[in-house]
Amino acid sequence: MGGVMQGAGVSPGVGSGPVRSIAGAVPEPPAGARHGGDAAAETDTALAALEAVAADLEERGERAAAVGNDDGRDVLNAQALMARDPGLADGVRGAIGGGTAAARAVFDAFGVYREMLAGAGEYMAARVTDLDDIRDRAIARLLGLPVPGVPESDEPFVLVARDLAPADTAVLDPAQVVAFVTEEGGPTSHTAIIARTMGVPAVVALKGATTIADGTRVLVDGAAGTVLLDPSGSEVSAARAAADARASALRESTGPGATRDGHAVPLLANIGGPKDVEAALANGAEGVGLYRTEFLFLDRATPPSDAEQEKAYRKVLEAFPEGRVVVRTLDAGADKPLAFLPAPGDEPNPALGERGLRMMRLHPDVLSAQLSALARAAAGLTVKLQVMAPMVTDAAEAAFFAAACREAGIEHPGVMIEVPAAALRARDLAPEVEFFSIGTNDLTQYACAADRQIGGLAHLQDPWQPAVLDLVAPAAGAGVSCGVCGEAAGDPVLACVLVGLGVTSLSMSAPSLPLVRAALARHTLDECREAAAAARAARSAGEAKDAARARLPGLADLGL
Ligand code: PEP
Ligand code: MG
């Protein structure tokens, strides 16, 4: 038997086969590389390479659409647009005009965009891979190197890569690829999204993945996030049997969320826009618990027009005629910087600065335009529209937001609880609004004083920290309905604990819904309460998780 490697499981299921790696990386062209002096010819060569990449991406998009992968085509067409971006061409022209060789000029021009995306929050940072892929394709053409891509294989294989680009994955044959494993990437990377769409097991962020020799047989468990090297036949069959049992348990768990004894816990989806509605519905979401509206505002110099906002909101609202949609007003600042709403002045700690509702108080016109667009979008629809503000600290801020909502004709105002002060004094905020939604991502960051953008502090960014659970309890007990919409809600074990703490709904990324639904359906409300009490009595995140699991016997059925 070989060793086990641990990464992050982002698409469940088990796959076993020989490893095939994506063709070698394109090297960085040396800094300071100069061209021979004919800047015009060099510029033509560089722009022609970018155009050739764009045309190739479009052609791959057509091939993807021909095998029914319309999403793949859309992603590839978006990449082709990036390759043809006039700003990028200007950057290349400028650098070549200054004497830089074409390949290096392309590398540097992409670098500017790369930095912008990398600093624009987790979702946008995941798009950096798309950008790197376009850059590498163009540089490979310019340097006469093989274009990076998926290997050929005469038997089904486990595809291993540093990270997967849409151009690679969109043309993959799902019958040939039994699993994806990448060294980089996160839950919102393309590898994760495409693997889930294709139903292929995937493990990302696996340190050392690219050092596994081609041909090595591995067993990938996309739920546990593990890769077992050289598995025995019995290990493969045991893993398959467990995955099959879980898959059938998940298929059987349908309908509205509830505990085994019938305590209803609506299960909702986190979305970034109308594009995410389909996955939410496919996974049985009873509505939307967090619509992150900032995606409509990113990457632009001016806010979207009132009509554009109204149209996007209406598309989402129309999809849930019998459900609810919780829209979050613009959460600008800190990890979600917006070009047209810069922080006023220099902020040494942006996460503690002007962000969320604080930023909207500086720009009340942006807030009222958004609230009015929402009210218009909901007019005449049966859906229950709830609107909440991010980063609210005290009762005065909650009252300010509720008044702004009322003025715009929004009937159901709420606030996110993501600042420890708001959680501890939730009873002061409760009379001002109709509901709370706990953002455990930020609540954990602030409770543990650990910046969520710093990977090295991951152990402190754990919502299992008993201090975080201690902050959830007063918010859930303050007398207004209280959901959770941070990542914690999508952890099936923690979801049971949150319900035991009194949380009334759970909102998560769509693929997490079935497992959470199944975990809740296997436990009574009392079992959830006991698990919650045991977790709060623990002295560390690890102990809290173990203590909760010990009181949730139904998890075993799900292989958890
Ligand atoms: C949170 O902080 O938990 C949350 C849901 O908001 P975001 O991750 O968008 O900051
Ligand atoms: Mg937040």
Side-chain angles (χ1 to χ4, degrees):
M1 195 198 88
V4 184
M5 300 168 81
Q6 181 74 50
V10 292
S11 180
V14 162
S16 175
V19 161
R20 297 273 184 273
S21 310
I22 290 252
V26 174
E28 176 180 334
R34 316 279 296 168
H35 61 72
D38 186 348
E42 191 80 357
T43 303
D44 287 350
T45 311
L47 297 184
L50 285 168
E51 175 52 35
V53 169
D56 176 54
L57 289 166
E58 279 172 343
E59 195 259 328
R60 284 166 174 266
E62 289 317 312
R63 269 163 47 206
V67 293
N69 184 354
D70 286 344
D71 280 355
R73 182 199 39 210
D74 292 348
V75 169
L76 291 168
N77 283 346
Q79 269 195 307
L81 271 182
M82 288 188 215
R84 292 196 179 109
D85 185 274
L88 183 75
D90 284 347
V92 170
R93 238 180 244 115
I96 295 178
T100 303
R104 183 68 204 188
V106 167
F107 185 86
D108 290 342
F110 272 96
V112 175
Y113 283 74
R114 214 177 176 277
E115 257 170 45
M116 264 165 50
L117 279 183
E122 185 199 355
Y123 183 86
M124 293 312 286
R127 305 282 84 77
V128 166
T129 303
D130 305 5
L131 212 57
D132 288 352
D133 174 57
I134 308 167
R135 179 196 66 196
D136 290 350
R137 284 169 188 277
I139 293 175
R141 278 177 187 273
L142 289 167
L143 299 179
L145 299 171
V147 174
V150 175
E152 298 289 316
S153 174
D154 46 15
E155 63 173 318
F157 59 94
V158 173
L159 185 65
V160 174
R162 187 175 53 79
D163 206 349
L164 287 171
D168 298 322
T169 47
V171 291
L172 280 178
D173 176 359
Q176 273 283 89
V177 182
V178 294
F180 293 141
V181 176
T182 61
E183 181 110 21
E184 295 177 3
T188 54
S189 63
H190 260 294
T191 307
I193 294 167
I194 293 185
R196 287 193 289 258
T197 314
M198 287 172 69
V200 173
V203 173
V204 301
L206 187 91
K207 262 212 174 99
T210 48
T211 62
I212 307 174
D214 250 37
T216 308
R217 299 200 85 82
V218 295
L219 171 64
V220 179
D221 184 333
T226 53
V227 174
L228 179 60
L229 304 178
D230 299 317
S232 66
S234 58
E235 282 169 329
V236 173
S237 24
R240 281 200 204 292
D244 289 350
R246 178 194 287 201
S248 73
L250 292 187
R251 268 195 302 278
E252 280 157 25
S253 103
T254 53
T259 57
R260 198 173 82 222
D261 51 337
H263 172 72
V265 183
L267 298 179
L268 310 165
N270 290 356
I271 66 166
K275 248 179 94 32
D276 300 332
V277 163
E278 195 182 325
L281 291 170
N283 285 287
E286 295 163 59
V288 169
L290 169 62
Y291 178 178
R292 289 182 163 104
T293 55
E294 15 336 308
F295 292 122
L296 197 58
F297 293 75
L298 280 170
D299 273 352
R300 19 200 327 167
T302 53
S305 71
D306 292 355
E308 188 181 347
Q309 288 198 54
E310 185 182 331
K311 190 168 158 213
Y313 303 150
R314 193 166 177 99
K315 264 198 190 149
V316 172
L317 294 170
E318 279 172 345
F320 298 93
E322 272 129 48
R324 72 171 91 164
V325 171
V326 183
V327 180
R328 175 174 77 187
T329 53
L330 198 50
D331 187 14
D335 62 332
K336 307 177 191 83
L338 294 184
F340 68 93
L341 288 178
D346 196 19
E347 291 191 338
N349 295 303
L352 304 181
E354 301 285 2
R355 60 163 295 201
L357 183 66
R358 301 170 184 182
M359 185 69 103
M360 290 300 93
R361 295 193 77 168
L362 297 177
H363 299 276
D365 46 328
V366 177
L367 178 63
S368 66
Q370 185 174 29
L371 292 174
S372 305
L374 280 165
R376 284 196 307 279
L381 301 183
T382 49
V383 62
K384 179 174 184 186
L385 167 65
Q386 299 179 285
V387 183
M388 64 184 183
M391 273 298 279
V392 172
T393 305
D394 60 16
E397 287 188 352
F400 164 85
F401 183 70
C405 284
R406 274 193 297 274
E407 199 172 311
I410 302 278
E411 290 168 28
H412 307 292
V415 289
M416 287 190 74
I417 301 288
E418 41 188 1
V419 176
L424 287 168
R425 301 292 299 204
R427 63 182 185 283
D428 294 339
L429 281 70
E432 307 297 341
V433 289
E434 197 182 284
F435 70 98
F436 291 155
S437 182
I438 304 178
T440 46
N441 308 337
D442 277 313
L443 188 59
T444 306
Q445 144 166 283
Y446 296 125
C448 301
D451 189 324
R452 60 194 270 197
Q453 302 209 89
I454 299 179
L457 297 176
H459 61 292
L460 292 172
Q461 291 148 356
D462 186 343
W464 278 103
Q465 287 278 353
V468 177
L469 304 179
D470 281 354
L471 289 169
V472 170
V480 293
S481 70
C482 177
V484 169
C485 64
E487 290 304 305
D491 169 340
V493 189
L494 192 43
C496 294
V497 167
L498 294 170
V499 168
L501 289 172
V503 159
T504 53
S505 64
L506 297 167
S507 190
M508 63 205 76
S509 60
S512 304
L513 285 161
L515 202 50
V516 168
R517 185 181 295 116
L520 281 179
R522 278 167 174 71
H523 299 100
T524 61
L525 182 56
D526 274 347
E527 282 173 324
C528 292
R529 287 185 176 139
E530 279 164 29
R536 282 185 76 188
R539 297 179 61 221
S540 70
E543 282 175 25
K545 191 169 191 164
D546 290 345
R549 293 168 77 98
R551 281 151 185 92
L552 297 168
L555 296 175
D557 280 9
L558 301 169
L560 291 169

